[in-house]
Amino acid sequence: GASVSVSNLTMRYGSMVALDNVTLDVAEGEFLALLGPSGSGKSTILMNIAGFNIPSAGEIRIGSEVVTNKPPHKRGIGMVFQRYALFPHLTVAENIAYPLRRRGWKQKLIADEVERVLELVDLGAYGARYPAQLSGGQQQRIAVARAIVFKPSVLLMDEPLGALDRKLRQQLQLEIKRLHRTIGCTIIFVTHDQEEALSMADRVAVMRGGRIEQIGDPTSLYERP
Ligand code: ADP
Ligand code: ADP
């Protein structure tokens, strides 16, 4: 995993200030949750780190490198969204292979790596299926597999469990934590569910109105009056 540094990041949409001078340092291999109500700026931070948004002001570093003006595919970042992430016309294996094909990897290596991550998410037997033939939880595990197959140094997750029912959510929370321990990449995980943030993350940043209101490990936040 690589460290992620966001320095004095401001993001405006016209006169609307979505991020107001945010500074955030995430350590190598850390699992950080961004917690806050809808509209507080969580996704906007992720989109800026991923490179899908260019900030109005501020700087983003991944490891020692300034990436503020680099295109998304050169940032070494994997991303998982809440839903609609898989290509419906491609099989599970083809979905996972997609980022590797785009990077020009050799066919044999692609097949090996697809098999490796399918095992990592416990869906080794599902490569030939289409997304519509999988449950919601399985589809999200495939989306995770596709996001980590090229061994990104940072994994960004935007409410990845938000569309799942409670039981499945708890199961995937455990699976994502296990995966984090296995692959060791840095994770920034967006959620508006306090329990989820506190139970999963090494550290939680609480956002409100485009600012980080508080940040700390789950125990220190939990004990706050
Ligand atoms: P969260 O992820 O916490 O729900 P967002 O980062 O999506 O919050 O949004 C932060 C604020 O920026 C919200 O007020 C939202 O309406 C606004 N916003 C986000 N994206 C755009 C956009 N493309 N155009 C205009 N306003 C936007
Ligand atoms: P090493 O340091 O020897 O590469 P790691 O503990 O980093 O071993 O990785 C353990 C296993 O997880 C290896 O099979 C490696 O290929 C895989 N792995 C490491 N990083 C990632 C990643 N970001 N995404 C997916 N798999 C990974």
Side-chain angles (χ1 to χ4, degrees), residues 54-74:
I54 301 301
S56 312
E59 186 178 89
I60 296 163
R61 268 179 301 155
I62 296 176
S64 56
E65 200 183 356
V66 175
V67 298
T68 320
N69 293 305
K70 272 197 157 187
H73 66 278
K74 294 198 172 153

mmCIF file of all heavy atoms in Angstrom, residues 54-74:
data_model
loop_
_atom_site.group_PDB
_atom_site.id
_atom_site.type_symbol
_atom_site.label_atom_id
_atom_site.label_comp_id
_atom_site.label_asym_id
_atom_site.label_seq_id
_atom_site.Cartn_x
_atom_site.Cartn_y
_atom_site.Cartn_z
ATOM 1 N N ILE A 54 -10.876 17.290 -10.942
ATOM 2 C CA ILE A 54 -9.675 18.093 -10.731
ATOM 3 C C ILE A 54 -10.036 19.163 -9.704
ATOM 4 O O ILE A 54 -11.009 19.897 -9.883
ATOM 5 C CB ILE A 54 -9.203 18.747 -12.056
ATOM 6 C CG1 ILE A 54 -8.917 17.667 -13.104
ATOM 7 C CG2 ILE A 54 -7.955 19.596 -11.807
ATOM 8 C CD1 ILE A 54 -7.876 16.644 -12.732
ATOM 9 N N PRO A 55 -9.269 19.236 -8.614
ATOM 10 C CA PRO A 55 -9.648 20.168 -7.544
ATOM 11 C C PRO A 55 -9.522 21.629 -7.958
ATOM 12 O O PRO A 55 -8.734 21.972 -8.838
ATOM 13 C CB PRO A 55 -8.656 19.829 -6.428
ATOM 14 C CG PRO A 55 -7.503 19.186 -7.094
ATOM 15 C CD PRO A 55 -8.046 18.479 -8.293
ATOM 16 N N SER A 56 -10.315 22.490 -7.316
ATOM 17 C CA SER A 56 -10.209 23.925 -7.550
ATOM 18 C C SER A 56 -8.915 24.455 -6.950
ATOM 19 O O SER A 56 -8.308 25.380 -7.476
ATOM 20 C CB SER A 56 -11.399 24.655 -6.919
ATOM 21 O OG SER A 56 -12.609 24.021 -7.265
ATOM 22 N N ALA A 57 -8.499 23.854 -5.827
ATOM 23 C CA ALA A 57 -7.223 24.220 -5.201
ATOM 24 C C ALA A 57 -6.766 23.053 -4.353
ATOM 25 O O ALA A 57 -7.571 22.238 -3.921
ATOM 26 C CB ALA A 57 -7.396 25.462 -4.330
ATOM 27 N N GLY A 58 -5.455 22.986 -4.144
ATOM 28 C CA GLY A 58 -4.912 21.950 -3.275
ATOM 29 C C GLY A 58 -4.089 20.929 -4.027
ATOM 30 O O GLY A 58 -3.946 21.016 -5.249
ATOM 31 N N GLU A 59 -3.530 19.979 -3.284
ATOM 32 C CA GLU A 59 -2.604 19.013 -3.859
ATOM 33 C C GLU A 59 -2.892 17.616 -3.332
ATOM 34 O O GLU A 59 -3.298 17.447 -2.191
ATOM 35 C CB GLU A 59 -1.179 19.420 -3.452
ATOM 36 C CG GLU A 59 -0.107 18.582 -4.112
ATOM 37 C CD GLU A 59 1.285 19.064 -3.710
ATOM 38 O OE1 GLU A 59 1.805 18.571 -2.688
ATOM 39 O OE2 GLU A 59 1.833 19.919 -4.432
ATOM 40 N N ILE A 60 -2.685 16.621 -4.202
ATOM 41 C CA ILE A 60 -2.865 15.226 -3.803
ATOM 42 C C ILE A 60 -1.578 14.472 -4.090
ATOM 43 O O ILE A 60 -1.031 14.567 -5.195
ATOM 44 C CB ILE A 60 -4.042 14.596 -4.569
ATOM 45 C CG1 ILE A 60 -5.334 15.302 -4.175
ATOM 46 C CG2 ILE A 60 -4.144 13.099 -4.287
ATOM 47 C CD1 ILE A 60 -6.464 15.070 -5.129
ATOM 48 N N ARG A 61 -1.111 13.731 -3.095
ATOM 49 C CA ARG A 61 0.068 12.894 -3.295
ATOM 50 C C ARG A 61 -0.263 11.442 -2.993
ATOM 51 O O ARG A 61 -1.013 11.149 -2.058
ATOM 52 C CB ARG A 61 1.214 13.338 -2.386
ATOM 53 C CG ARG A 61 2.128 14.356 -3.071
ATOM 54 C CD ARG A 61 3.235 14.798 -2.147
ATOM 55 N NE ARG A 61 2.685 15.396 -0.954
ATOM 56 C CZ ARG A 61 3.321 15.445 0.216
ATOM 57 N NH1 ARG A 61 4.518 14.909 0.355
ATOM 58 N NH2 ARG A 61 2.745 16.017 1.251
ATOM 59 N N ILE A 62 0.288 10.547 -3.805
ATOM 60 C CA ILE A 62 0.179 9.117 -3.535
ATOM 61 C C ILE A 62 1.611 8.614 -3.417
ATOM 62 O O ILE A 62 2.404 8.790 -4.339
ATOM 63 C CB ILE A 62 -0.599 8.386 -4.642
ATOM 64 C CG1 ILE A 62 -2.043 8.909 -4.669
ATOM 65 C CG2 ILE A 62 -0.576 6.870 -4.410
ATOM 66 C CD1 ILE A 62 -2.899 8.347 -5.767
ATOM 67 N N GLY A 63 1.948 8.045 -2.259
ATOM 68 C CA GLY A 63 3.348 7.781 -1.968
ATOM 69 C C GLY A 63 4.061 9.126 -1.961
ATOM 70 O O GLY A 63 3.561 10.101 -1.397
ATOM 71 N N SER A 64 5.205 9.198 -2.642
ATOM 72 C CA SER A 64 5.952 10.456 -2.628
ATOM 73 C C SER A 64 5.607 11.313 -3.847
ATOM 74 O O SER A 64 6.169 12.387 -4.035
ATOM 75 C CB SER A 64 7.449 10.150 -2.604
ATOM 76 O OG SER A 64 7.755 9.323 -3.712
ATOM 77 N N GLU A 65 4.687 10.830 -4.680
ATOM 78 C CA GLU A 65 4.452 11.471 -5.969
ATOM 79 C C GLU A 65 3.226 12.399 -5.957
ATOM 80 O O GLU A 65 2.158 12.011 -5.478
ATOM 81 C CB GLU A 65 4.221 10.355 -7.008
ATOM 82 C CG GLU A 65 4.436 10.805 -8.410
ATOM 83 C CD GLU A 65 4.123 9.676 -9.402
ATOM 84 O OE1 GLU A 65 3.820 8.553 -8.956
ATOM 85 O OE2 GLU A 65 4.165 9.955 -10.602
ATOM 86 N N VAL A 66 3.385 13.585 -6.497
ATOM 87 C CA VAL A 66 2.249 14.491 -6.657
ATOM 88 C C VAL A 66 1.441 14.032 -7.874
ATOM 89 O O VAL A 66 1.971 13.928 -8.983
ATOM 90 C CB VAL A 66 2.718 15.946 -6.873
ATOM 91 C CG1 VAL A 66 1.520 16.857 -7.160
ATOM 92 C CG2 VAL A 66 3.480 16.444 -5.655
ATOM 93 N N VAL A 67 0.164 13.714 -7.665
ATOM 94 C CA VAL A 67 -0.648 13.155 -8.762
ATOM 95 C C VAL A 67 -1.796 14.081 -9.171
ATOM 96 O O VAL A 67 -2.630 13.700 -9.994
ATOM 97 C CB VAL A 67 -1.239 11.775 -8.382
ATOM 98 C CG1 VAL A 67 -0.133 10.765 -8.105
ATOM 99 C CG2 VAL A 67 -2.192 11.873 -7.195
ATOM 100 N N THR A 68 -1.835 15.281 -8.609
ATOM 101 C CA THR A 68 -2.987 16.165 -8.794
ATOM 102 C C THR A 68 -3.399 16.304 -10.267
ATOM 103 O O THR A 68 -4.583 16.391 -10.573
ATOM 104 C CB THR A 68 -2.687 17.565 -8.203
ATOM 105 O OG1 THR A 68 -1.974 17.399 -6.984
ATOM 106 C CG2 THR A 68 -3.975 18.337 -7.941
ATOM 107 N N ASN A 69 -2.425 16.312 -11.168
ATOM 108 C CA ASN A 69 -2.771 16.492 -12.582
ATOM 109 C C ASN A 69 -2.562 15.243 -13.430
ATOM 110 O O ASN A 69 -2.552 15.304 -14.655
ATOM 111 C CB ASN A 69 -1.985 17.671 -13.158
ATOM 112 C CG ASN A 69 -2.427 18.976 -12.521
ATOM 113 O OD1 ASN A 69 -3.611 19.315 -12.533
ATOM 114 N ND2 ASN A 69 -1.509 19.683 -11.901
ATOM 115 N N LYS A 70 -2.411 14.109 -12.775
ATOM 116 C CA LYS A 70 -2.232 12.853 -13.522
ATOM 117 C C LYS A 70 -3.578 12.238 -13.854
ATOM 118 O O LYS A 70 -4.510 12.299 -13.045
ATOM 119 C CB LYS A 70 -1.469 11.854 -12.653
ATOM 120 C CG LYS A 70 0.017 11.944 -12.760
ATOM 121 C CD LYS A 70 0.618 10.661 -12.209
ATOM 122 C CE LYS A 70 1.997 10.440 -12.782
ATOM 123 N NZ LYS A 70 2.539 9.128 -12.409
ATOM 124 N N PRO A 71 -3.677 11.584 -15.011
ATOM 125 C CA PRO A 71 -4.940 10.910 -15.328
ATOM 126 C C PRO A 71 -5.173 9.704 -14.415
ATOM 127 O O PRO A 71 -4.216 9.134 -13.875
ATOM 128 C CB PRO A 71 -4.753 10.458 -16.782
ATOM 129 C CG PRO A 71 -3.291 10.438 -17.005
ATOM 130 C CD PRO A 71 -2.686 11.459 -16.089
ATOM 131 N N PRO A 72 -6.443 9.319 -14.227
ATOM 132 C CA PRO A 72 -6.796 8.251 -13.276
ATOM 133 C C PRO A 72 -5.995 6.959 -13.458
ATOM 134 O O PRO A 72 -5.535 6.383 -12.470
ATOM 135 C CB PRO A 72 -8.284 8.010 -13.572
ATOM 136 C CG PRO A 72 -8.784 9.303 -14.119
ATOM 137 C CD PRO A 72 -7.625 9.905 -14.867
ATOM 138 N N HIS A 73 -5.804 6.505 -14.707
ATOM 139 C CA HIS A 73 -5.180 5.194 -14.899
ATOM 140 C C HIS A 73 -3.695 5.197 -14.570
ATOM 141 O O HIS A 73 -3.058 4.148 -14.564
ATOM 142 C CB HIS A 73 -5.425 4.692 -16.329
ATOM 143 C CG HIS A 73 -4.762 5.520 -17.381
ATOM 144 N ND1 HIS A 73 -5.311 6.684 -17.870
ATOM 145 C CD2 HIS A 73 -3.592 5.357 -18.038
ATOM 146 C CE1 HIS A 73 -4.500 7.191 -18.778
ATOM 147 N NE2 HIS A 73 -3.451 6.402 -18.901
ATOM 148 N N LYS A 74 -3.114 6.379 -14.304
ATOM 149 C CA LYS A 74 -1.697 6.415 -13.934
ATOM 150 C C LYS A 74 -1.493 6.624 -12.433
ATOM 151 O O LYS A 74 -0.393 6.945 -11.997
ATOM 152 C CB LYS A 74 -0.987 7.522 -14.717
ATOM 153 C CG LYS A 74 -0.960 7.211 -16.209
ATOM 154 C CD LYS A 74 0.070 8.031 -16.932
ATOM 155 C CE LYS A 74 0.204 7.555 -18.375
ATOM 156 N NZ LYS A 74 0.669 8.632 -19.265
#
